[in-house]
Amino acid sequence: MSRLEFYGFPAWVGSMTSATHCGWWGDEPGQLNWEPRAQIATNLSRTPAAALAGKIASSEVEVDDHTAHGGRNTIGPLWPGATVMGACWLRSSVWHALDPKHRPAFPAPGASGHAYEYTTVQYLDGEHGNRRFYGFHARAVSTKASLTLLELWNPGTGVANPRPAGSWWLDLAQVADPNGPSVDPVKQPVGPVFLEHKAVQSFAVLEPKLPHYVGTFLFPSP
Amino acid sequence: MTSNQAAPDVRALLTQPHLSVVSGEPDFGLRGIAQTIGHPVMVEGRIELEILLGQLLGEVDRGATVARKTLDLIGHTRTSGALLALGDWVIDVASPTTTAFFRGLADHAVLPRLGVHAVRLLGCNTAITAAGRATIRKLAEVLELEVWGASQLLCSAHWGADGFRREWGFLLAEAGQLTAEGAAPPSAGSRPPAEPYPRVLDVDALPAIALAPSALPRRIAEVAEARQILQLVRRREGAIMPGLLAAPSVELALPARALGTYHVAHVLLGGEFLRFYPDGMASQGIVFPIEDAAALRHLVNALLPDPYLPHVIH
């Protein structure tokens, strides 16, 4: 079973070397003295969609897909002419392997949410093949039958904003990542929960703000 | 002004080249911008902006010095149409309230009296979408002033002690430069906004309707039966239940105060939940858990059916 995690970073593209290769900074370039070595080299074509299509192995996935292709990246996806400031959702293993001297902090400094609110889980095969889960800050209020009453925060607001975005009755056995953390009104009322993309599409919640000053948009409609 | 902010030196604001009004929502990015600017004012909505402008006019009437300035409204673009929000107020000319507010400013020449020669909507991409462009053009027409928006992303580096820095002016577009075209805002589909906290069931606030033909089996309750049913409802745990789980099995008609009218509720998941419609029958409905599903089923099965056909829920 291939279970990949992607971490969302603000991204400023500093170089392009092919239609899909680029280097990007995880902080405002002025803050990094425009240091070229601090750029993270990424091939924007090495995505879950490419792995699911059999074009690359799951081990070769580097980055999430662009929003136009079902992912959460907003930089790219093709150069030149594409967006150069936005979000880059980098595979967690790729981030861990970066030179610690130039590895951007996760979550980004000044983030208004917890790290898990900037995390996506993607399955590529096995019983959960091609299921996607988005991280939320949640509070479990109560349960009834198989359902849990959850207060959910817009991703990326769980630290700064005391007010949740909404309350929903959800069957977590159906819509939460079975291999991820979860919440429970008694044992763990507040914390992370990873909800399936298809379920999230029926909520009126906003995408995380990356960079943090960017305007927010609703998750794509089904 | 926000409660956690010291009252601004109103007279000093009149002498600045920019009157910077920052959205007071809980957001680190906006707070950072406010800290960068020498004389910011944070507001949580339209009312507070109105109060601020009134205070400034009072100072003008008392003889304060007035410099030529821009009114910079600084916040995030919160909607799918990239419309600027100040606290809970979205600046959208499709809202009659918003249009009336700006028309009121124009009718009383408020902004010119404060030295304001241009209004700038400083949020990311405010001049990109069709809705954003329409808002900028309409405000320019109403106010008879220059109105500017941002054609790209804005960040804290674009502000200095005097406000929005002049060298980043190329990121802005003026109403006269904008065409009606713009990127179409992403569709929000049919998803209604949710309430942040669980809803409380207020029976008296439910819509009272005359019964019409229903595609669902319907049961009609007398007053005493309705009371018994409502006693089973966990009234403080209402929320939306999205998806296929929300398909009802039976419609309940609970008598309302006016003769011949009813409050409608739908039985879900074998009586584990009841869905009420406090926001109108066309709304998505709010689902409340039932303390004892077996007791609800027993009560419902004993109710008078409509149109007098037996319906049993399992």
Side-chain angles (χ1 to χ4, degrees):
Chain A
M1 178 184 70
S2 299
R3 179 183 184 273
L4 312 185
E5 287 191 354
F6 295 94
Y7 296 162
F9 294 92
W12 288 260
V13 175
S15 61
M16 303 159 194
T17 51
S18 84
T20 59
H21 286 82
C22 66
W24 52 273
W25 289 289
D27 199 349
E28 291 178 42
Q31 300 292 322
L32 301 170
N33 294 320
W34 299 85
E35 171 55 69
R37 286 170 298 183
Q39 290 181 22
I40 300 165
T42 300
N43 183 346
L44 297 177
S45 69
R46 294 190 176 275
T47 66
L52 287 164
K55 295 176 183 170
I56 60 172
S58 59
S59 60
E60 295 177 291
V61 173
E62 295 179 15
V63 67
D64 197 11
D65 286 283
H66 190 267
T67 51
H69 305 127
R72 300 175 97 174
N73 267 16
T74 57
I75 60 166
L78 286 172
W79 314 116
T83 301
V84 295
M85 285 172 60
C88 188
W89 292 73
L90 196 63
R91 186 174 176 179
S92 57
S93 59
V94 173
W95 177 75
H96 283 291
L98 293 172
D99 177 356
K101 204 161 54 176
H102 297 304
R103 185 164 56 205
F106 178 71
S112 297
H114 305 89
Y116 50 83
E117 299 177 66
Y118 302 95
T119 301
T120 303
V121 170
Q122 168 81 51
Y123 290 87
L124 293 179
D125 49 36
E127 61 178 317
H128 302 298
N130 197 21
R131 292 182 77 187
R132 285 175 72 81
F133 298 87
Y134 292 172
F136 283 83
H137 183 60
R139 187 169 86 87
V141 178
S142 68
T143 59
K144 177 63 183 173
S146 63
L147 304 187
T148 303
L149 177 56
L150 283 186
E151 291 174 352
L152 296 175
W153 275 253
N154 285 317
T157 67
V159 171
N161 195 343
R163 183 182 165 97
S167 301
W168 289 273
W169 281 100
L170 297 174
D171 186 344
L172 293 180
Q174 296 292 322
V175 301
D177 179 9
N179 298 301
S182 195
V183 289
D184 174 277
V186 178
K187 297 176 191 161
Q188 180 69 44
V190 177
V193 62
F194 285 77
L195 299 177
E196 188 162 22
H197 176 234
K198 290 173 188 169
V200 172
Q201 284 179 321
S202 62
F203 306 160
V205 291
L206 300 167
E207 273 279 16
K209 293 157 57 59
L210 293 169
H212 62 79
Y213 47 75
V214 76
T216 49
F217 293 94
L218 287 166
F219 280 108
S221 293
Chain B
M1 280 53 72
T2 56
S3 55
N4 59 355
Q5 184 201 16
D9 181 348
V10 173
R11 188 167 279 240
L13 294 175
L14 288 166
T15 62
Q16 305 300 315
H18 307 293
L19 175 54
S20 299
V21 179
V22 184
S23 177
E25 65 206 73
D27 183 277
F28 295 149
L30 291 173
R31 287 179 200 165
I33 290 171
Q35 285 165 1
T36 302
I37 300 171
H39 296 82
V41 184
M42 299 190 80
V43 300
E44 293 183 349
R46 178 176 52 82
I47 303 294
E48 290 192 352
L49 177 60
E50 198 168 339
I51 292 170
L52 170 68
L53 296 176
Q55 290 173 333
L56 289 167
L57 280 180
E59 289 300 323
V60 171
D61 291 342
R62 284 187 281 274
T65 304
V66 176
R68 181 177 159 83
K69 63 176 66 63
T70 64
L71 171 59
D72 292 354
L73 304 180
I74 302 164
H76 288 302
T77 44
R78 290 289 186 194
T79 73
S80 53
L83 295 168
L84 187 76
L86 282 184
D88 57 5
W89 178 42
V90 177
I91 301 177
D92 181 1
V93 292
S95 159
T97 307
T98 295
T99 308
F101 169 74
F102 285 104
R103 205 174 289 285
L105 295 183
D107 289 346
H108 297 91
V110 171
L111 298 182
R113 287 160 64 195
L114 299 177
V116 172
H117 65 89
V119 175
R120 303 194 294 185
L121 306 182
L122 299 183
C124 295
N125 297 330
T126 51
I128 291 291
T129 67
R133 290 172 176 225
T135 290
I136 289 168
R137 288 201 312 275
K138 183 69 176 179
L139 291 186
E141 175 194 322
V142 170
L143 294 171
E144 296 184 346
L145 294 173
E146 289 180 11
V147 178
W148 296 73
S151 56
Q152 294 188 43
L153 300 179
L154 301 181
C155 72
S156 55
H158 298 149
W159 274 268
D162 289 329
F164 192 78
R165 292 163 63 181
R166 181 189 296 255
E167 59 266 38
W168 293 103
F170 69 89
L171 296 174
L172 306 182
E174 198 266 322
Q177 303 167 341
L178 300 177
T179 62
E181 294 86 38
S187 167
S190 58
R191 293 166 292 172
E195 294 287 331
Y197 300 106
R199 298 278 292 268
V200 176
L201 178 61
D202 179 356
V203 177
D204 290 332
L206 294 173
I209 62 170
L211 295 180
S214 168
L216 286 172
R218 180 188 282 149
R219 298 300 180 102
I220 300 175
E222 301 289 344
V223 172
E225 296 161 336
R227 190 173 297 128
Q228 286 180 293
I229 290 170
L230 291 170
Q231 283 172 350
L232 295 173
V233 178
R234 282 156 50 177
R235 294 188 180 206
R236 307 185 70 83
E237 297 177 17
I240 292 170
M241 182 192 293
L244 296 175
L245 285 174
S249 56
V250 174
E251 179 170 295
L252 291 181
L254 310 176
R257 286 177 190 274
L259 191 63
T261 64
Y262 294 85
H263 304 307
V264 170
H266 287 130
V267 179
L268 305 178
L269 298 178
E272 298 284 1
F273 292 88
L274 277 181
R275 180 163 58 205
F276 292 89
Y277 297 87
D279 304 317
M281 293 305 296
S283 69
Q284 192 169 13
I286 302 298
V287 173
F288 293 83
I290 298 301
E291 196 60 54
D292 184 340
L296 178 70
R297 287 198 299 268
H298 180 74
L299 285 169
V300 170
N301 287 332
L303 295 180
L304 190 65
D306 174 30
Y308 308 105
L309 294 172
H311 301 289
V312 177
I313 60 169
H314 301 285

